[in-house]
Amino acid sequence: MRRARPGAPPRGTASRALTSVGAGADFDRNPLPSDTAEREPVTTAKEESPQSRLWHITLSVSGAETPLAEVRRGLEQLAHDHPFLLTSRYAGDHAEIRYWEEARDLHDAAAVALRLWGEHRSSARLPPWEIVGLEVIDRETYHLRVAEGYGPPPASPVGVHPY
């Protein structure tokens, strides 16, 4: 059994292997001026973290006639599991869910919205309906529509309601 301190090179080797460690967020790749006599500064494209935005989602689902009590219970469970839901409207063969989603871009917001019904179908015991409509609009467009009077009214009352 070999006994040595952690990180010590094996006996008989002259040098020690170096491992790479990521620099911290405040690491400056350009050395101080006293060390830059003949060097060019290291330049890298500064990656900015993408800003997430709010997207208003309207998801429409439809399928075979289901008792209203079961539809309501499933939508209420979905709203309980995911409090981001603003409002849901339902009938025996269709429903509409409206909520805000935070995402980097429209593609991400739409992808999350398209998974919502299927991923929660069993946990919330939702009807086996399919998604038949999806609208994803940014926050500014939503507020512009409401202000001009031709968009969906603000979600009030919040909750699960029949059509």
Side-chain angles (χ1 to χ4, degrees), residues 110-130:
V112 170
L114 289 170
R115 290 193 311 262
L116 177 72
W117 190 261
E119 287 182 355
H120 299 286
R121 185 177 294 154
S122 62
S123 65
R125 296 188 318 211
L126 296 166
W129 295 343
E130 66 177 335

mmCIF file of all heavy atoms in Angstrom, residues 110-130:
data_model
loop_
_atom_site.group_PDB
_atom_site.id
_atom_site.type_symbol
_atom_site.label_atom_id
_atom_site.label_comp_id
_atom_site.label_asym_id
_atom_site.label_seq_id
_atom_site.Cartn_x
_atom_site.Cartn_y
_atom_site.Cartn_z
ATOM 1 N N ALA A 110 -43.236 28.026 -25.926
ATOM 2 C CA ALA A 110 -44.156 27.135 -26.638
ATOM 3 C C ALA A 110 -43.860 25.666 -26.313
ATOM 4 O O ALA A 110 -44.780 24.871 -26.136
ATOM 5 C CB ALA A 110 -44.067 27.370 -28.148
ATOM 6 N N ALA A 111 -42.588 25.317 -26.210
ATOM 7 C CA ALA A 111 -42.223 23.931 -25.900
ATOM 8 C C ALA A 111 -42.743 23.528 -24.523
ATOM 9 O O ALA A 111 -43.282 22.430 -24.349
ATOM 10 C CB ALA A 111 -40.708 23.758 -25.973
ATOM 11 N N VAL A 112 -42.606 24.403 -23.561
ATOM 12 C CA VAL A 112 -43.106 24.116 -22.214
ATOM 13 C C VAL A 112 -44.629 24.001 -22.238
ATOM 14 O O VAL A 112 -45.204 23.085 -21.650
ATOM 15 C CB VAL A 112 -42.650 25.204 -21.215
ATOM 16 C CG1 VAL A 112 -43.348 25.048 -19.874
ATOM 17 C CG2 VAL A 112 -41.142 25.160 -21.042
ATOM 18 N N ALA A 113 -45.280 24.900 -22.938
ATOM 19 C CA ALA A 113 -46.742 24.884 -23.010
ATOM 20 C C ALA A 113 -47.258 23.614 -23.676
ATOM 21 O O ALA A 113 -48.251 23.027 -23.226
ATOM 22 C CB ALA A 113 -47.243 26.119 -23.769
ATOM 23 N N LEU A 114 -46.581 23.168 -24.714
ATOM 24 C CA LEU A 114 -47.026 21.963 -25.420
ATOM 25 C C LEU A 114 -46.851 20.694 -24.588
ATOM 26 O O LEU A 114 -47.515 19.691 -24.833
ATOM 27 C CB LEU A 114 -46.297 21.831 -26.755
ATOM 28 C CG LEU A 114 -46.725 22.844 -27.811
ATOM 29 C CD1 LEU A 114 -45.784 22.795 -29.022
ATOM 30 C CD2 LEU A 114 -48.165 22.615 -28.237
ATOM 31 N N ARG A 115 -45.970 20.742 -23.599
ATOM 32 C CA ARG A 115 -45.788 19.580 -22.719
ATOM 33 C C ARG A 115 -46.714 19.599 -21.514
ATOM 34 O O ARG A 115 -46.904 18.573 -20.867
ATOM 35 C CB ARG A 115 -44.337 19.525 -22.231
ATOM 36 C CG ARG A 115 -43.346 19.163 -23.310
ATOM 37 C CD ARG A 115 -41.990 18.824 -22.735
ATOM 38 N NE ARG A 115 -41.517 19.804 -21.778
ATOM 39 C CZ ARG A 115 -40.657 20.795 -22.038
ATOM 40 N NH1 ARG A 115 -40.185 20.920 -23.255
ATOM 41 N NH2 ARG A 115 -40.261 21.622 -21.105
ATOM 42 N N LEU A 116 -47.272 20.745 -21.189
ATOM 43 C CA LEU A 116 -48.045 20.902 -19.952
ATOM 44 C C LEU A 116 -49.152 19.869 -19.801
ATOM 45 O O LEU A 116 -49.221 19.164 -18.794
ATOM 46 C CB LEU A 116 -48.635 22.316 -19.874
ATOM 47 C CG LEU A 116 -49.518 22.578 -18.661
ATOM 48 C CD1 LEU A 116 -48.662 22.669 -17.412
ATOM 49 C CD2 LEU A 116 -50.314 23.840 -18.857
ATOM 50 N N TRP A 117 -50.019 19.748 -20.778
ATOM 51 C CA TRP A 117 -51.182 18.860 -20.672
ATOM 52 C C TRP A 117 -50.756 17.397 -20.565
ATOM 53 O O TRP A 117 -51.223 16.661 -19.694
ATOM 54 C CB TRP A 117 -52.119 19.070 -21.865
ATOM 55 C CG TRP A 117 -53.433 18.380 -21.698
ATOM 56 C CD1 TRP A 117 -53.807 17.182 -22.220
ATOM 57 C CD2 TRP A 117 -54.548 18.850 -20.946
ATOM 58 N NE1 TRP A 117 -55.086 16.872 -21.844
ATOM 59 C CE2 TRP A 117 -55.573 17.879 -21.066
ATOM 60 C CE3 TRP A 117 -54.803 19.993 -20.186
ATOM 61 C CZ2 TRP A 117 -56.807 18.018 -20.458
ATOM 62 C CZ3 TRP A 117 -56.030 20.128 -19.583
ATOM 63 C CH2 TRP A 117 -57.017 19.153 -19.721
ATOM 64 N N GLY A 118 -49.875 16.968 -21.433
ATOM 65 C CA GLY A 118 -49.447 15.570 -21.437
ATOM 66 C C GLY A 118 -48.686 15.159 -20.191
ATOM 67 O O GLY A 118 -48.882 14.071 -19.662
ATOM 68 N N GLU A 119 -47.810 16.046 -19.710
ATOM 69 C CA GLU A 119 -47.010 15.697 -18.540
ATOM 70 C C GLU A 119 -47.831 15.640 -17.260
ATOM 71 O O GLU A 119 -47.458 14.965 -16.320
ATOM 72 C CB GLU A 119 -45.855 16.686 -18.373
ATOM 73 C CG GLU A 119 -44.775 16.490 -19.410
ATOM 74 C CD GLU A 119 -43.609 17.436 -19.227
ATOM 75 O OE1 GLU A 119 -43.663 18.328 -18.345
ATOM 76 O OE2 GLU A 119 -42.637 17.293 -19.979
ATOM 77 N N HIS A 120 -48.946 16.359 -17.224
ATOM 78 C CA HIS A 120 -49.754 16.390 -16.009
ATOM 79 C C HIS A 120 -51.062 15.634 -16.142
ATOM 80 O O HIS A 120 -51.888 15.663 -15.240
ATOM 81 C CB HIS A 120 -49.997 17.839 -15.589
ATOM 82 C CG HIS A 120 -48.710 18.543 -15.285
ATOM 83 N ND1 HIS A 120 -48.001 18.305 -14.148
ATOM 84 C CD2 HIS A 120 -47.988 19.415 -16.007
ATOM 85 C CE1 HIS A 120 -46.906 19.023 -14.159
ATOM 86 N NE2 HIS A 120 -46.875 19.698 -15.285
ATOM 87 N N ARG A 121 -51.229 14.957 -17.262
ATOM 88 C CA ARG A 121 -52.467 14.214 -17.492
ATOM 89 C C ARG A 121 -52.704 13.185 -16.387
ATOM 90 O O ARG A 121 -53.799 13.088 -15.850
ATOM 91 C CB ARG A 121 -52.451 13.542 -18.862
ATOM 92 C CG ARG A 121 -53.779 12.856 -19.181
ATOM 93 C CD ARG A 121 -53.793 12.255 -20.556
ATOM 94 N NE ARG A 121 -53.712 13.321 -21.539
ATOM 95 C CZ ARG A 121 -53.221 13.161 -22.759
ATOM 96 N NH1 ARG A 121 -52.764 11.998 -23.142
ATOM 97 N NH2 ARG A 121 -53.191 14.157 -23.599
ATOM 98 N N SER A 122 -51.687 12.414 -16.023
ATOM 99 C CA SER A 122 -51.897 11.378 -15.008
ATOM 100 C C SER A 122 -51.872 11.944 -13.595
ATOM 101 O O SER A 122 -52.697 11.560 -12.768
ATOM 102 C CB SER A 122 -50.873 10.258 -15.159
ATOM 103 O OG SER A 122 -49.579 10.765 -14.964
ATOM 104 N N SER A 123 -50.951 12.868 -13.281
ATOM 105 C CA SER A 123 -50.859 13.385 -11.911
ATOM 106 C C SER A 123 -52.093 14.193 -11.519
ATOM 107 O O SER A 123 -52.526 14.137 -10.373
ATOM 108 C CB SER A 123 -49.596 14.222 -11.730
ATOM 109 O OG SER A 123 -49.645 15.373 -12.536
ATOM 110 N N ALA A 124 -52.665 14.949 -12.436
ATOM 111 C CA ALA A 124 -53.861 15.739 -12.141
ATOM 112 C C ALA A 124 -55.134 15.026 -12.593
ATOM 113 O O ALA A 124 -56.225 15.566 -12.451
ATOM 114 C CB ALA A 124 -53.770 17.106 -12.819
ATOM 115 N N ARG A 125 -54.978 13.824 -13.160
ATOM 116 C CA ARG A 125 -56.102 13.041 -13.691
ATOM 117 C C ARG A 125 -56.949 13.882 -14.655
ATOM 118 O O ARG A 125 -58.166 14.000 -14.523
ATOM 119 C CB ARG A 125 -56.936 12.459 -12.562
ATOM 120 C CG ARG A 125 -56.143 11.483 -11.734
ATOM 121 C CD ARG A 125 -56.969 10.754 -10.736
ATOM 122 N NE ARG A 125 -57.926 11.633 -10.085
ATOM 123 C CZ ARG A 125 -58.353 11.502 -8.859
ATOM 124 N NH1 ARG A 125 -57.920 10.533 -8.122
ATOM 125 N NH2 ARG A 125 -59.236 12.335 -8.354
ATOM 126 N N LEU A 126 -56.243 14.445 -15.638
ATOM 127 C CA LEU A 126 -56.902 15.255 -16.662
ATOM 128 C C LEU A 126 -57.524 14.340 -17.706
ATOM 129 O O LEU A 126 -57.068 13.215 -17.902
ATOM 130 C CB LEU A 126 -55.877 16.184 -17.328
ATOM 131 C CG LEU A 126 -55.249 17.226 -16.407
ATOM 132 C CD1 LEU A 126 -54.026 17.847 -17.068
ATOM 133 C CD2 LEU A 126 -56.259 18.288 -16.027
ATOM 134 N N PRO A 127 -58.552 14.813 -18.417
ATOM 135 C CA PRO A 127 -59.143 14.000 -19.489
ATOM 136 C C PRO A 127 -58.115 13.699 -20.575
ATOM 137 O O PRO A 127 -57.181 14.481 -20.786
ATOM 138 C CB PRO A 127 -60.262 14.895 -20.038
ATOM 139 C CG PRO A 127 -60.537 15.893 -18.974
ATOM 140 C CD PRO A 127 -59.250 16.086 -18.236
ATOM 141 N N PRO A 128 -58.280 12.605 -21.296
ATOM 142 C CA PRO A 128 -57.322 12.241 -22.356
ATOM 143 C C PRO A 128 -57.554 13.041 -23.639
ATOM 144 O O PRO A 128 -57.721 12.477 -24.718
ATOM 145 C CB PRO A 128 -57.586 10.744 -22.556
ATOM 146 C CG PRO A 128 -59.030 10.581 -22.220
ATOM 147 C CD PRO A 128 -59.299 11.572 -21.104
ATOM 148 N N TRP A 129 -57.557 14.336 -23.510
ATOM 149 C CA TRP A 129 -57.794 15.210 -24.646
ATOM 150 C C TRP A 129 -56.473 15.572 -25.307
ATOM 151 O O TRP A 129 -55.400 15.435 -24.741
ATOM 152 C CB TRP A 129 -58.499 16.490 -24.201
ATOM 153 C CG TRP A 129 -59.886 16.275 -23.662
ATOM 154 C CD1 TRP A 129 -60.675 15.165 -23.822
ATOM 155 C CD2 TRP A 129 -60.635 17.189 -22.878
ATOM 156 N NE1 TRP A 129 -61.877 15.341 -23.189
ATOM 157 C CE2 TRP A 129 -61.883 16.577 -22.596
ATOM 158 C CE3 TRP A 129 -60.402 18.455 -22.381
ATOM 159 C CZ2 TRP A 129 -62.872 17.193 -21.854
ATOM 160 C CZ3 TRP A 129 -61.386 19.084 -21.640
ATOM 161 C CH2 TRP A 129 -62.610 18.457 -21.390
ATOM 162 N N GLU A 130 -56.596 16.097 -26.534
ATOM 163 C CA GLU A 130 -55.410 16.540 -27.258
ATOM 164 C C GLU A 130 -55.373 18.064 -27.316
ATOM 165 O O GLU A 130 -56.404 18.727 -27.210
ATOM 166 C CB GLU A 130 -55.371 15.957 -28.662
ATOM 167 C CG GLU A 130 -56.472 16.462 -29.564
ATOM 168 C CD GLU A 130 -56.368 15.918 -30.983
ATOM 169 O OE1 GLU A 130 -55.262 15.561 -31.412
ATOM 170 O OE2 GLU A 130 -57.405 15.880 -31.664
#
